[in-house]
Amino acid sequence: MDTVEKIVEDFASDIAVSPFSSGTSLREMIRAIRACKTAAEERAVVRRECAAIRTAISENEPELRHRNMAKLMFIHMLGYPTHFAQMECLKLIAAAGFPEKRVGYLGLMLLLDERQEVLMLVTNSLKQDLNHTNQFIVGLALCALGNICSAEMARDLSPEVERLMRSREVNTKKKAALCSIRIVRKVPDLAENFMGLAASLLKEKHHGVLISAIQLCTELCKASKDSLEYLRKNCIEGLARILRDVSNRSYAPEYDVSGIVDPFLHIRVLKLLRILGQGDADCSEYMNDILAQVATKTESNKNAGNAILYECVQTIMGIEATSGLRVLAINILGRFLSNRDNNIRYVALNMLMRAITVDALAVQRHRTTILECVKDADASIRKRALELVYLLVNDTNVKPLTKELIDYLNIADPDFIGDLTVNICSIVEKFSQEKLWYLDQMFNVLSLAGNHVKDDICHALIVVLSNTSELQGYSVRSLYKALQEYGKQGSLVRVAVWCIGEYGEMLVNNVGMLDGEEPIKVTESDAVDAVEVALNRYSADMTTGAMCLVALLKLSSRFPLTSERIKQIVAQNKGNVVLELQQRSIEFTSIIQRHQSIRSSLLERMPVLDEASYLVKRATATQSTISADKIAPTVTPGSLKLPNGVAKPTSAPLADLLDFSSDGAPASTVASTTTPNDFLQDLLGIGGVSSSTTGVTSTASTDILMDLLSIGSSPSQNGTPVTDFRHPGQESKPVPGVPEAVDLLGSLSPAESKPTPVVPKDMDLLDGLSSNTSISGHENTTHPSITAFQSATLKITFDFKMKLGNPRETTIHATFTNLTSSTFTDFIFQAAVPKFIQLRLDPASGNTVPANGSGSVTQGLNITNNQQGQKPLAMRIRMSYKVNGEDRLEQGQVSNFPSGL
């Protein structure tokens, strides 16, 4: 744009003194516009000038045409409409003089584009000017054609451009080569017409022609494979010669940039060599010597030299280079990392991230320099270096790298701690070689950056602690010491409080001492103090506060001497503004006061958490989150877009799972297909199964830190509020069917097996329970089992249980049996129901179904029929699995449900 404005102003100086000029000159108009103080004044000046130009156009004044066009171009650059003067451009192009043509072509390129229909009228003028005897007029036509050429114009005028590429004039050759780039982009079929011409231009000596020819060769390689193969055979030697001559040439003032001879030509040749050598061993071998020469001889103390070196490194990494040449390229990037310029270091880090997939060992040699970049003052360099360090970690260097990163947490910028913490935790989880090292590193991270550690990482740590019985004593002591020093780190407090509640006696008695570990003296009162301090500090945080209350409740059983003090601490939260903490305080106080007989069994240590199941659930939840962020593809009949991008064959169309009206639908269909993994999110985009997604997500993301003492569902989940809100002094009125003043922890006789319809007032649900009494839920009624689906390969059986308290809700236990002699792997069961039914699928017991019925896979389904008694249950099912690596799919409809469901 600056160049166009300069040309316009230069032309203004020419016509300002023209004897044919009248009215306002271009220079005066520009001065008037720039003198405007408001946008309204500017619009008034532009409107006045446009009106004068329209008048001149209507009066057909040829002597003012070129000056008016110059004005219009300036007005167009300001953003005002100038479409009314398009034909004036064509008239100026058709003029005989060079000044008029110059302004006409300039206006054509500036005011019009290839989408304008009026452009068809200029094709004949362009053809005439391309054959003009004046090389400058030819240059104007080539320049215009290279900027606004359409596909039709390219086909009409490509013979003229080919002819001009053979011209003796250097400028004409250069412009014709650049114009042919536009032609090849618009019509790739014409690429074969320019292959030979492009190869011949590489023999020219003029640098401008060489750069234009190399750009044309690059475009030809992208346009067609035939052109790529032709240039590989005919241009490799010429390009190597050009690069060698430019590299060895002494000082040339015409092309010198900071002591480097024509770095632009260097870079263009290297880019073309990268395209030609990619995937071709013979071409790459021919380039190795010249690339090594450029990499070693180019100076790196100037930006121009660094640009050439960077392009040379990209070329080496892009072709089939030798290992020694790749090491040389990575060493160049290592030198870049020591440069003061942030831009050079940033591009070096970017290139190293790509190079690590080619030669990871060579990148490892620069690990120390990369770690220094993690501590850089520039945020973008820190982030990129951290990503590179994550890629560098392996089993051999994980310990020193992790130590360096954790040490940096002490001095890291607050805005950078979050990203650093996430990467450290990922590294520790991925490369942990032993449980003790894993725990030590996680404890260090929690101590230094606990406020930035996510909940799922804390959950994973707790699962590991639960499964590592030999390290539980060491862990609780380490966390207790960290809690004393870093009590403001939220995640540390939650994990430490959980451990103290579970393993408090190990902390007090120094159980499980490791070799070299120093014993610490902690009394029962000290352990309670630590939890009390955490509770007071995080009284407004529901998660942390609830965990503290649970820990205190458990300590009341482990430390009987502190039971009275713990009861007072817990009772202080009866008036907490957080309803969850208030409810827990009331219930826990009741347990401590009134239920001594069952407290020890009720508050015993948590069972060992299934680490494998948790990892599967965590991975499933992560995958569900990723899938939910993606836009669901449009499903067309007979073609379903699967997650890996493969379209399902149209020979086996998928029936609509909710099309219950199709009586003629086959009971089962077996087809070879790729099994999708995310059909639980939305089976064929039908909204009626959204509840299934909700159920699975909630199961996968169960928060084990939120409620460690959950005996049943909360009142709000059961659908009946139990809190009696009324004004002081107002008499409460009994509600039919709802017990009055029921204590959630009230008594329940051990002999009772069925819930009574009327609950006595002030009943204590836990009263009279012995320490070995189990707490059970509502009793269920059963229905006869049915065979929901059976084919030659698979049998599915449904067992039913219906809750007495909610007749609409039914639990289905599905059993899958393999009837063939081949094992089914990657087994996935999916189901869809009408919109009036809510469905939730529980995780299956496995994904491998043994052969010959020697075993089975089970899965739970929870069904809620909102129109129970009016409409029966109905379900479409789909089973996908693999047999000897081959994908199989079966589907059918279940309609033989027992009556009353």
Side-chain angles (χ1 to χ4, degrees):
M1 188 62 72
D2 294 339
T3 304
V4 175
E5 186 172 357
K6 185 176 184 302
I7 294 174
V8 172
E9 292 192 353
D10 290 344
F11 183 73
S13 62
D14 295 339
I15 66 173
V17 292
S18 173
F20 303 101
S21 62
S22 61
T24 305
S25 67
L26 175 62
R27 190 179 297 276
E28 291 174 352
M29 186 194 74
I30 293 174
R31 188 180 297 113
I33 290 175
R34 289 180 174 173
C36 295
K37 296 182 179 179
T38 63
E41 292 181 18
E42 180 182 297
R43 289 194 295 270
V45 173
V46 171
R47 280 198 301 268
R48 184 168 60 250
E49 291 296 336
C50 288
I53 293 172
R54 287 192 185 93
T55 302
I57 291 174
S58 61
E59 294 178 358
N60 195 18
E61 299 179 2
E63 66 277 3
L64 299 178
R65 186 172 289 144
H66 54 298
R67 186 181 70 177
N68 290 337
M69 184 54 60
K71 289 182 180 181
L72 284 171
M73 284 188 282
F74 186 81
I75 292 173
H76 174 79
M77 287 188 289
L78 294 177
Y80 295 95
T82 55
H83 57 276
F84 59 88
Q86 291 176 350
M87 293 302 298
E88 294 297 293
C89 294
L90 305 185
K91 293 177 182 177
L92 284 171
I93 291 173
F98 175 78
E100 288 80 6
K101 285 183 177 291
R102 179 189 178 194
V103 177
Y105 278 118
L106 186 60
L108 181 72
M109 292 183 286
L110 193 62
L111 305 181
L112 283 81
D113 56 42
E114 59 178 285
R115 294 169 295 181
Q116 302 288 340
E117 294 183 1
V118 71
L119 206 60
M120 295 185 297
L121 304 176
V122 82
T123 304
N124 190 47
S125 298
L126 281 170
K127 189 170 185 178
Q128 291 178 359
D129 289 342
L130 289 174
N131 292 288
H132 204 281
T133 56
N134 189 335
Q135 64 166 320
F136 299 107
I137 292 179
V138 174
L140 289 175
L142 286 171
C143 186
L145 186 62
N147 277 278
I148 62 169
C149 173
S150 61
E152 293 78 10
M153 294 173 69
R155 293 188 179 93
D156 294 340
L157 300 177
S158 62
E160 308 299 327
V161 178
E162 293 176 36
R163 179 182 57 80
L164 292 173
M165 289 179 67
R166 301 185 183 92
S167 173
R168 295 182 179 179
E169 297 292 338
V170 174
N171 288 330
T172 302
K173 283 183 182 179
K174 178 179 69 174
K175 292 187 178 183
L178 293 173
C179 181
S180 61
I181 294 174
R182 171 87 175 196
I183 292 174
V184 171
R185 286 177 181 170
K186 289 296 175 183
V187 188
D189 295 340
L190 297 175
E192 59 182 9
N193 299 339
F194 294 95
M195 292 188 303
L197 293 171
S200 63
L201 288 180
L202 294 178
K203 301 176 183 178
E204 294 287 335
K205 301 295 183 183
H206 192 271
H207 282 218
V209 176
L210 286 176
I211 289 180
S212 302
I214 291 169
Q215 288 180 273
L216 175 58
C217 291
T218 303
E219 195 64 37
L220 289 172
C221 292
K222 297 176 182 178
S224 68
K225 292 184 177 179
D226 294 337
S227 301
L228 178 60
E229 294 299 327
Y230 177 84
L231 294 175
R232 276 176 176 168
K233 294 179 181 178
N234 298 277
C235 296
I236 291 293
E237 295 183 7
L239 291 170
R241 175 185 53 80
I242 293 170
L243 194 56
R244 187 177 295 107
D245 292 344
V246 177
S247 299
N248 296 329
R249 184 173 297 182
S250 58
Y251 175 73
E254 185 178 2
Y255 308 111
D256 179 81
V257 177
S258 300
I260 307 295
V261 177
D262 205 342
F264 301 102
L265 182 58
H266 268 98
I267 291 172
R268 292 291 180 184
V269 174
L270 289 169
K271 284 184 177 179
L272 181 55
L273 287 175
R274 180 164 71 250
I275 295 174
L276 297 177
Q278 189 172 12
D280 191 299
D282 295 334
C283 290
S284 300
E285 184 179 358
Y286 192 86
M287 301 174 194
N288 284 336
D289 292 339
I290 185 60
L291 291 176
Q293 181 180 339
V294 172
T296 53
K297 293 186 63 175
T298 305
E299 298 180 10
S300 60
N301 56 352
K302 300 289 179 62
N303 271 345
N306 287 329
I308 295 173
L309 288 174
Y310 179 72
E311 200 64 44
C312 184
V313 171
Q314 282 193 305
T315 302
I316 292 172
M317 292 300 171
I319 66 173
E320 307 300 320
T322 60
S323 60
L325 194 58
R326 287 199 300 267
V327 171
L328 175 61
I330 293 174
N331 289 339
I332 292 173
L333 295 176
R335 293 203 307 268
F336 281 178
L337 293 178
S338 302
N339 199 296
R340 297 183 193 177
D341 193 330
N342 288 345
N343 294 323
I344 294 176
R345 279 184 289 166
Y346 187 82
V347 297
L349 291 169
N350 271 339
M351 192 62 208
L352 284 171
M353 291 183 68
R354 287 181 282 171
I356 198 171
T357 59
V358 180
D359 195 339
L361 185 59
V363 180
Q364 288 282 358
R365 296 191 184 101
H366 304 278
R367 192 174 63 207
T368 305
T369 310
I370 295 169
L371 276 173
E372 290 300 320
C373 291
V374 175
K375 305 171 185 178
D376 195 89
D378 188 274
S380 58
I381 292 178
R382 288 200 306 265
K383 187 173 182 180
R384 189 63 68 199
L386 183 61
E387 294 172 359
L388 181 55
V389 168
Y390 183 77
L391 296 176
L392 285 174
V393 176
N394 54 37
D395 292 331
T396 59
N397 62 18
V398 60
K399 290 187 176 180
L401 279 178
T402 304
K403 183 179 183 303
E404 290 280 351
L405 294 176
I406 291 178
D407 290 343
Y408 180 55
L409 275 176
N410 284 313
I411 58 174
D413 188 75
D415 297 334
F416 185 59
I417 291 179
D419 293 335
L420 185 59
T421 303
V422 170
N423 279 272
I424 293 175
C425 293
S426 300
I427 290 171
V428 172
E429 287 184 347
K430 185 177 180 181
F431 297 98
S432 58
Q433 300 167 340
E434 51 190 17
K435 292 294 179 67
L436 180 58
W437 180 82
Y438 167 80
L439 294 175
D440 284 338
Q441 307 314 309
M442 292 304 300
F443 294 162
N444 289 334
V445 173
L446 289 173
S447 301
L448 298 175
N451 291 327
H452 300 275
V453 177
K454 297 181 179 179
D455 288 342
D456 60 337
I457 297 174
C458 296
H459 298 175
L461 177 59
I462 287 178
V463 171
V464 173
L465 286 171
S466 174
N467 284 271
T468 315
S469 58
E470 68 277 7
L471 296 176
Q472 288 170 352
Y474 169 77
S475 299
V476 71
R477 286 189 292 274
S478 300
L479 288 169
Y480 176 81
K481 290 186 287 187
L483 185 62
Q484 302 301 311
E485 188 174 355
Y486 304 100
K488 295 184 179 180
Q489 302 293 343
S491 296
L492 171 66
V493 172
R494 286 192 284 272
V495 176
V497 164
W498 185 89
C499 281
I500 293 173
E502 292 295 319
Y503 316 117
E505 69 279 8
M506 293 185 175
L507 173 65
V508 174
N509 300 322
N510 283 322
V511 177
M513 294 290 295
L514 301 181
D515 295 339
E517 183 185 358
E518 295 183 2
I520 60 174
K521 185 178 181 180
V522 181
T523 63
E524 296 180 355
S525 179
D526 292 337
V528 175
D529 288 342
V531 180
E532 182 184 10
V533 170
L535 177 61
N536 294 334
R537 177 174 291 169
Y538 293 93
S539 58
D541 184 350
M542 183 182 70
T543 302
T544 308
M547 293 181 67
C548 291
L549 289 175
V550 172
L552 287 171
L553 180 62
K554 291 200 170 188
L555 290 179
S556 69
S557 175
R558 287 153 175 71
F559 305 151
L561 298 179
T562 63
S563 179
E564 189 63 28
R565 179 189 169 194
I566 290 175
K567 183 184 72 173
Q568 296 175 1
I569 298 173
V570 173
Q572 291 174 1
N573 287 271
K574 288 184 177 180
N576 198 301
V577 294
V578 181
L579 183 60
E580 174 73 16
L581 302 184
Q582 182 185 127
Q583 179 179 346
R584 285 176 184 262
S585 177
I586 295 172
E587 294 173 355
F588 294 173
T589 303
S590 177
I591 291 175
I592 297 173
Q593 280 182 336
R594 305 168 59 182
H595 304 290
Q596 300 293 333
S597 59
I598 67 169
R599 187 171 62 175
S600 58
S601 59
L602 182 66
L603 303 178
E604 63 185 6
R605 188 175 298 171
M606 282 186 65
V608 176
L609 302 173
D610 189 350
E611 189 172 1
S613 299
Y614 174 75
L615 293 176
V616 171
K617 289 181 180 181
R618 184 181 179 189
T620 304
T622 304
Q623 184 63 32
S624 301
T625 304
I626 296 174
S627 301
D629 293 337
K630 297 181 180 178
I631 300 176
T634 303
V635 179
T636 57
S639 176
L640 177 64
K641 292 296 182 182
L642 303 179
N644 59 358
V646 179
K648 184 181 183 299
T650 56
S651 59
L654 295 176
D656 187 352
L657 289 185
L658 295 184
D659 187 9
F660 295 105
S661 62
S662 57
D663 298 332
S668 65
T669 303
V670 181
S672 176
T673 179
T674 302
T675 303
N677 294 326
D678 57 353
F679 280 159
L680 293 179
Q681 297 264 341
D682 186 355
L683 289 176
L684 297 181
I686 301 172
V689 294
S690 61
S691 61
S692 173
T693 303
T694 305
V696 173
T697 303
S698 64
T699 303
S701 61
T702 301
D703 192 347
I704 64 175
L705 292 178
M706 285 295 293
D707 191 355
L708 302 182
L709 198 62
S710 235
I711 300 175
S713 57
S714 63
S716 60
Q717 290 171 335
N718 292 333
T720 306
V722 298
T723 305
D724 186 12
F725 294 100
R726 58 181 182 268
H727 296 289
Q730 181 179 355
E731 181 181 358
S732 62
K733 297 180 180 180
V735 181
V738 179
E740 186 176 352
V742 175
D743 184 356
L744 293 180
L745 299 175
S747 65
L748 179 64
S749 173
E752 290 180 348
S753 60
K754 296 183 180 180
T756 57
V758 179
V759 181
K761 185 177 180 180
D762 296 331
M763 178 179 177
D764 189 350
L765 296 179
L766 293 181
D767 189 20
L769 281 179
S770 62
S771 59
N772 57 356
T773 303
S774 62
I775 303 174
S776 61
H778 296 287
E779 183 174 342
N780 299 325
T781 59
T782 60
H783 290 273
S785 301
I786 65 169
T787 300
F789 175 87
Q790 184 167 358
S791 64
T793 58
L794 181 66
K795 179 180 179 181
I796 303 176
T797 304
F798 281 179
D799 297 319
F800 303 93
K801 288 185 179 180
M802 187 170 63
K803 290 187 177 181
L804 290 179
N806 187 2
R808 295 184 177 182
E809 184 175 348
T810 304
T811 300
I812 300 177
H813 184 78
T815 304
F816 308 98
T817 306
N818 182 359
L819 305 179
T820 68
S821 58
S822 301
T823 302
F824 296 167
T825 59
D826 296 344
F827 184 86
I828 298 177
F829 172 76
Q830 297 145 359
V833 292
K835 293 184 177 180
F836 62 87
I837 297 175
Q838 294 180 353
L839 168 66
R840 190 188 76 218
L841 293 175
D842 294 333
S845 62
N847 61 354
T848 301
V849 188
N852 299 320
S854 58
S856 61
V857 171
T858 60
Q859 187 167 1
L861 294 81
N862 290 297
I863 298 288
T864 302
N865 187 354
N866 294 319
Q867 298 189 18
Q868 195 260 347
Q870 303 177 15
K871 292 185 179 181
L873 288 182
M875 182 185 298
R876 287 274 187 182
I877 59 175
R878 175 181 294 152
M879 292 68 64
S880 59
Y881 53 89
K882 289 184 178 180
V883 180
N884 298 325
E886 181 182 357
D887 295 319
R888 298 291 181 87
L889 180 70
E890 296 190 50
Q891 60 186 25
Q893 178 174 328
V894 184
S895 56
N896 58 333
F897 287 100
S899 60
L901 294 182

